[in-house]
Amino acid sequence: MLLCSQICRRALCVAQLRRHLVPMAAKSSEKVVSRPDVTAGILIIGDEILKGHTQDTNSFYMCQKLRSLGVRVARISVIPDDVDIIAAEILSFSSRFTYVLTSGGIGPTHDDVTLEAVARAFGEQLFDHPEMVALVREAFGTSDTDCPQMKLARIPQSSHLNYGTDKRTGRSSKYPLVSLQNVYIFPGIPTLMERALESLEHLFLNEHTQFHCREIYVSADEVAIAPILNQANARFRKHVSLGSYPDWRNNYYRVQLTVDSDSEEHVDEVCRFLMEHLPAGTVVPFVKDPISRAAADIYGLAQSGSLLGQKVAAALQTIEECLAEYSLSKICVGFNGGKDCTALLHLFHAAVQRKYPDKKEKLQALYVRIVMSFPEMEQFMLDTTKRYGLQVFTVQGNIKQALVDLKEQQPHLEAVLMGTRRTDPYTR
């Protein structure tokens, strides 16, 4: 153990020296490198992740958040609740990356060893931090220094306590995030981790870098466009990251291409190259998030003058008349997962989004469930309900009886929008 401690101390000295040398090297090459490369390494700690008992979502959130802050995530490592392994990985990451973010292993039980591992990595001892002790006493209502909760108050000697600010309330966080040098120790519970990172994002903000990403959707097979992608990669890989992701189950495209860079000009250049060289007619105008931009897209189509646009404009006129006559709380839209009512739901959503851009209440929908519904339809209903944020009223039987039952169950409703095709019987 003594030998291990000595090795860790020597490695720490080298790591600290390297961190001092990096800025010096950057200064000497300022004429060549205009923006520093700010990087992060993420350590996901927990036996439960490696055993498949718990799915890791923290690294996904961290990657998205850090990238939005101009920080490039260079490595993710998932490691067990082992002090020696965690300490070694922390020491390695600390010397290689600008920031190290750990997640997991903070708590009162035997397998919560992250704080001990961080202390060992930097050759320090744990101690009962007075401020942390006071917080534990206040949070758990105990003054027993030997209670399990007091383990949360034992942190490395030279730790820094970081108090964030809740963006929703503007209040300072009651419990701080512990950091040591460039290592930031986040909780493993996703809601707590996300709240902590959001409130402390200013610690990681890199104002010199903004990442740009463009997506291109192609209906051709990946094999057919591989030569073009190879050409693009060989020509632009110095400044751009080109990704190719096949999707055999999608109804609209076969391959999703991503073009990433910290230079918008380079992204534009690569996109122009791809649009010029991909097989004619294979680029699909796929909209990845039609919900948030529904009003702009649908009303743009309605005003386009095209044949489809004219039909959409007529449908929107009916919906707008309904919205003018009834308040939103008194309207619901018929939705059972079919194509016609799904189209109507999207049109209704677009009209509401345009008329009430700041609305917070859920759209109301009527689901007339058939006796023998199949699992795929039920899953689609659940997905769509979540996607549009619906409040669904479910009744069974034929449509006429369903409307009678709906009025009895929801007497506040006064109008139901029902979708149908122009070619259906009795349709005007």
Side-chain angles (χ1 to χ4, degrees):
M1 186 65 70
L2 179 59
L3 178 60
C4 179
S5 178
Q6 292 175 342
I7 292 174
C8 284
R9 287 195 181 95
R10 291 181 181 179
L12 174 62
C13 291
V14 174
Q16 291 174 331
L17 179 60
R18 287 180 63 181
R19 281 199 298 275
H20 286 295
L21 289 175
V22 169
M24 292 172 60
K27 289 181 179 179
S28 65
S29 58
E30 281 180 346
K31 295 181 180 179
V32 179
V33 181
S34 58
R35 289 179 291 190
D37 186 23
V38 179
T39 60
I42 296 173
L43 293 176
I44 302 299
I45 300 167
D47 292 345
E48 69 277 14
I49 304 294
L50 294 171
K51 293 176 181 176
H53 295 168
T54 302
Q55 183 177 5
D56 166 44
T57 59
N58 288 348
S59 61
F60 177 75
Y61 180 87
M62 285 178 167
C63 285
Q64 286 193 319
K65 173 61 73 173
L66 290 170
R67 189 169 181 81
S68 72
L69 298 173
V71 179
R72 180 175 64 85
V73 176
R75 186 70 57 89
I76 299 173
S77 180
V78 182
I79 51 180
D81 297 307
D82 184 290
V83 174
D84 290 331
I85 294 175
I86 299 171
E89 201 77 337
I90 285 174
L91 196 60
S92 172
F93 273 42
S94 178
S95 66
R96 295 154 62 193
F97 309 124
T98 312
Y99 305 111
V100 181
L101 287 74
T102 74
S103 173
I106 304 174
T109 60
H110 68 284
D111 57 351
D112 295 314
V113 296
T114 298
L115 289 167
E116 179 184 352
V118 173
R120 182 175 300 184
F122 295 107
E124 295 193 6
Q125 298 294 321
L126 295 176
F127 83 114
D128 292 344
H129 193 292
E131 193 170 332
M132 296 293 287
V133 169
L135 288 170
V136 170
R137 286 175 175 171
E138 180 182 355
F140 298 100
T142 178
S143 58
D144 182 5
T145 56
D146 295 325
C147 69
Q149 297 93 323
M150 202 57 69
K151 187 175 181 179
L152 295 166
R154 298 187 182 100
I155 63 177
Q157 291 171 318
S158 60
S159 295
H160 181 71
L161 303 183
N162 304 276
Y163 288 90
T165 302
D166 191 315
K167 291 185 176 181
R168 292 174 290 274
T169 64
R171 299 174 182 173
S172 178
S173 303
K174 291 184 178 180
Y175 201 85
L177 182 83
V178 178
S179 66
L180 180 57
Q181 297 194 29
N182 63 339
V183 179
Y184 296 81
I185 308 166
F186 285 86
I189 298 174
T191 52
L192 298 181
M193 181 280 299
E194 293 173 13
R195 191 184 306 165
L197 183 52
E198 183 179 6
S199 68
L200 291 166
E201 63 179 31
H202 61 277
L203 296 176
F204 308 99
L205 179 61
N206 175 22
E207 296 179 343
H208 301 289
T209 300
Q210 180 180 357
F211 292 105
H212 304 272
C213 180
R214 199 83 50 80
E215 296 164 338
I216 298 176
Y217 299 90
V218 185
S219 60
D221 290 332
E222 194 175 34
V223 173
I225 62 174
I228 299 166
L229 300 183
N230 292 337
Q231 292 176 30
N233 184 60
R235 182 171 175 178
F236 302 106
R237 64 185 175 190
K238 184 177 180 182
H239 301 290
V240 171
S241 172
L242 176 61
S244 176
Y245 310 101
D247 188 343
W248 297 298
R249 297 179 298 176
N250 196 284
N251 293 326
Y252 301 98
Y253 64 88
R254 301 299 298 274
V255 182
Q256 174 188 346
L257 304 178
T258 60
V259 183
D260 284 277
S261 177
D262 59 359
S263 165
E264 191 171 13
E265 292 76 15
H266 286 135
V267 170
D268 291 339
E269 185 180 7
V270 175
C271 287
R272 283 194 299 269
F273 176 89
L274 291 172
M275 296 297 288
E276 291 172 2
H277 291 82
L278 286 169
T282 62
V283 176
V284 178
F286 179 74
V287 179
K288 190 173 183 179
D289 179 21
I291 310 299
S292 63
R293 48 184 285 181
D297 288 347
I298 292 299
Y299 278 86
L301 175 60
Q303 297 165 6
S304 67
S306 66
L307 182 60
L308 176 60
Q310 293 173 17
K311 295 177 179 178
V312 168
L316 287 173
Q317 183 178 356
T318 302
I319 295 172
E320 289 169 346
E321 290 173 358
C322 181
L323 289 170
E325 186 171 350
Y326 303 97
S327 64
L328 192 57
S329 63
K330 297 181 179 181
I331 305 172
C332 79
V333 58
F335 178 65
N336 65 359
K339 294 179 181 177
D340 303 339
C341 58
T342 302
L344 172 61
L345 173 62
H346 193 64
L347 292 174
F348 182 57
H349 168 73
V352 171
Q353 190 179 67
R354 190 188 200 200
K355 185 176 179 64
Y356 305 105
D358 299 322
K359 84 163 185 70
K360 295 182 180 179
E361 65 269 30
K362 293 183 176 182
L363 296 180
Q364 300 175 116
L366 166 63
Y367 174 29
V368 183
R369 175 183 281 146
I370 60 176
V371 178
M372 296 294 292
S373 62
F374 47 94
E376 292 82 0
M377 178 61 74
E378 293 294 328
Q379 186 59 52
F380 178 73
M381 289 294 302
L382 291 173
D383 294 341
T384 306
T385 298
K386 182 179 179 180
R387 189 177 299 122
Y388 284 89
L390 302 177
Q391 180 179 1
V392 179
F393 306 121
T394 303
V395 293
Q396 294 194 5
N398 58 54
I399 293 179
K400 185 176 181 180
Q401 184 60 45
L403 292 174
V404 173
D405 294 342
L406 177 68
K407 186 60 180 175
E408 292 179 354
Q409 298 172 15
Q410 308 294 334
H412 68 282
L413 293 176
E414 297 182 6
V416 179
L417 281 165
M418 306 291 286
T420 183
R421 301 184 187 184
R422 292 175 179 271
T423 55
D424 284 348
Y426 311 109
T427 301
R428 295 181 180 180

